[in-house]
């Protein structure tokens, strides 16, 4: 573990110096990076128990981590999500049907769905379409004036929440209304994140804004659902076509399970 940490630190120091390129590394910077590495191995993330009933409805993702673990969704514009109950995921489970634009604020629309099941107060496993592994989704802050003891807010509704994981590697900030968020709550969110070790010298979990300008055009809930259905039908048809042709589909793992020998032969011959 020690040698791995030293190697990681060396890479981070080189990356930091070459990426920033404005100031030489001083003791405070090195201390900040070391502290960030320590946060990666800490599992003391404090979660809050937000009732699922307060989460239902429309949301917009405002920030994500600077280094996004979700490599297929590194650039997003005008993100929107519709939260709805999902009893299949157990007590407190829910789904997030999401859409965002790629390339630019007027670019093509991509859609996907995430299902979450509750494992502890404020802690969920999140399963994303097309992925075979789950991720942690921990609620760490909500507002305005959310009372974790009673699970209520003195406002009419929750206007924002922050989610991360046990090691503070991921970061997602959601808001009901993007313009209202920037006007009233952005400063409080930034202050909270600074105090919890998100950003600063630790660049990988620094909050990176997602474009949510007044000129965004967000698809409605029915449109997001319809686009997801069509996309899934197209993917299923492509995989079926590949299977009938004896080729490799968009899911090598599924191919490996269905016909491991043939899949290995085709993978080797394509190298």
């Amino acid at each position: 573990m020690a040698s791995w940490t030293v190697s990681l630190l060396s890479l981070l120091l080189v990356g930091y110096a070459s990426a920033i390129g404005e100031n030489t590394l001083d003791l405070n910077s090195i201390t900040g990076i070391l502290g960030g590495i320590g946060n990666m191995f800490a599992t003391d993330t404090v979660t809050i128990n937000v009732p699922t009933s307060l989460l239902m409805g429309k949301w917009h993702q405002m920030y994500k981590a600077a280094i996004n673990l979700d490599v297929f969704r590194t650039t997003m514009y005008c993100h929107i999500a519709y939260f709805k109950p999902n009893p299949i995921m157990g007590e407190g489970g829910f789904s997030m049907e999401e859409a965002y634009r790629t390339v630019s604020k007027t670019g093509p629309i991509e859609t996907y769905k995430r299902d979450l099941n509750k494992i502890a107060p404020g802690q969920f496993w999140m399963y994303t379409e097309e992925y075979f592994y789950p991720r942690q989704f921990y609620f760490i802050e909500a507002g305005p004036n959310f009372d974790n003891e009673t699970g209520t807010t003195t406002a009419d509704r929750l206007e924002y929440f922050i989610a991360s994981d046990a090691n503070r590697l991921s970061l997602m900030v959601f808001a009901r209304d993007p313009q209202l968020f920037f006007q009233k709550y952005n400063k409080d969110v930034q202050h909270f994140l600074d105090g919890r070790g998100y950003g600063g010298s630790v660049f990988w979990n620094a909050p990176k804004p997602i474009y949510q300008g007044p000129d965004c055009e967000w698809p409605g809930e029915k449109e997001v659902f319809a686009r997801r259905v069509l996309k899934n039908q197209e993917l299923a048809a492509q995989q079926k076509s590949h299977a009938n042709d004896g080729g490799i589909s968009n899911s090598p793992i599924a191919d490996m399970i269905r016909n491991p020998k043939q899949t290995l032969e085709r993978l080797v011959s394509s190298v």
Side-chain angles (χ1 to χ4, degrees):
M1 178 67 73
S3 61
W4 185 90
T5 304
V6 170
S7 300
L8 177 60
L9 176 60
S10 301
L11 290 172
L12 289 174
L13 292 179
V14 171
Y16 184 95
S18 60
I20 303 302
E22 296 178 354
N23 301 305
T24 57
L25 283 172
D26 56 17
L27 181 60
N28 288 334
S29 297
I30 296 174
T31 301
I33 294 174
L34 285 171
I37 294 175
N39 281 340
M40 288 179 62
F41 301 108
T43 56
D44 59 345
T45 300
V46 178
T47 58
I48 57 174
N49 190 23
V50 181
T52 303
S53 59
L54 294 182
L55 297 170
M56 298 301 99
K58 182 174 67 176
W59 291 92
H60 301 271
Q61 188 172 349
M62 309 302 295
Y63 289 99
K64 63 185 182 68
I67 295 182
N68 192 7
L69 298 179
D70 195 345
V71 295
F72 297 106
R73 301 184 176 95
T74 55
T75 304
M76 296 192 294
Y77 300 85
C78 304
H79 173 277
I80 191 168
Y82 297 95
F83 289 29
K84 57 181 62 177
N86 187 347
I88 295 177
M89 300 307 293
E91 184 178 358
F94 64 97
S95 294
M96 303 157 58
E97 293 192 349
E98 306 179 58
Y100 65 96
R101 292 187 181 271
T102 63
V103 183
S104 71
K105 61 186 179 182
T106 57
I109 296 176
E110 289 286 342
T111 62
Y112 59 102
K113 180 187 178 188
R114 298 194 275 207
D115 297 315
L116 296 91
N117 77 289
K118 191 172 185 177
I119 57 173
Q123 301 179 12
F124 291 76
W125 279 115
M126 180 173 66
Y127 302 83
T128 304
E129 274 183 337
E130 304 167 22
Y131 287 16
F132 64 90
Y133 59 90
R135 288 169 49 190
Q136 293 174 330
F137 192 90
Y138 287 10
F139 288 92
I140 60 174
E141 178 66 338
N145 307 320
F146 177 74
D147 187 333
N148 194 39
E149 295 296 325
T150 62
T152 60
T153 175
T154 56
D156 293 335
R157 63 179 185 178
L158 284 184
E159 293 292 346
Y160 68 87
F161 71 82
I162 306 172
S164 185
D165 56 67
N167 300 105
R168 303 183 182 91
L169 292 175
S170 63
L171 175 65
M172 287 175 279
V173 178
F174 283 82
R176 293 283 190 186
D177 184 318
Q179 304 311 311
L180 181 65
F181 173 82
F182 283 121
Q183 292 170 7
K184 299 185 65 174
Y185 307 117
N186 185 53
K187 186 176 180 179
D188 292 339
V189 167
Q190 293 292 342
H191 179 74
F192 174 87
L193 293 174
D194 288 343
R196 292 295 182 92
Y198 292 87
S201 298
V202 188
F203 59 85
W204 56 79
N205 69 1
K208 181 179 180 180
I210 295 172
Y211 184 82
Q212 294 285 12
D215 53 350
C216 277
E217 295 183 1
W218 300 287
E221 185 173 1
K222 291 182 179 179
E223 180 181 347
V224 173
F225 176 79
R227 285 178 176 272
R228 274 192 51 250
V229 171
L230 290 175
K231 183 180 75 172
N232 291 338
Q233 288 177 347
E234 290 175 358
L235 288 174
Q238 290 174 8
Q239 292 178 358
K240 183 177 180 180
S241 176
H242 281 291
N244 291 338
D245 294 339
I248 298 175
S249 72
N250 292 331
S251 179
I253 294 176
D255 291 335
M256 187 69 73
I257 294 173
R258 183 170 52 245
N259 195 331
K261 182 178 178 180
Q262 184 182 40
T263 304
L264 283 173
E265 290 174 350
R266 292 185 177 277
L267 287 172
V268 171
S269 63
S270 64
V271 174

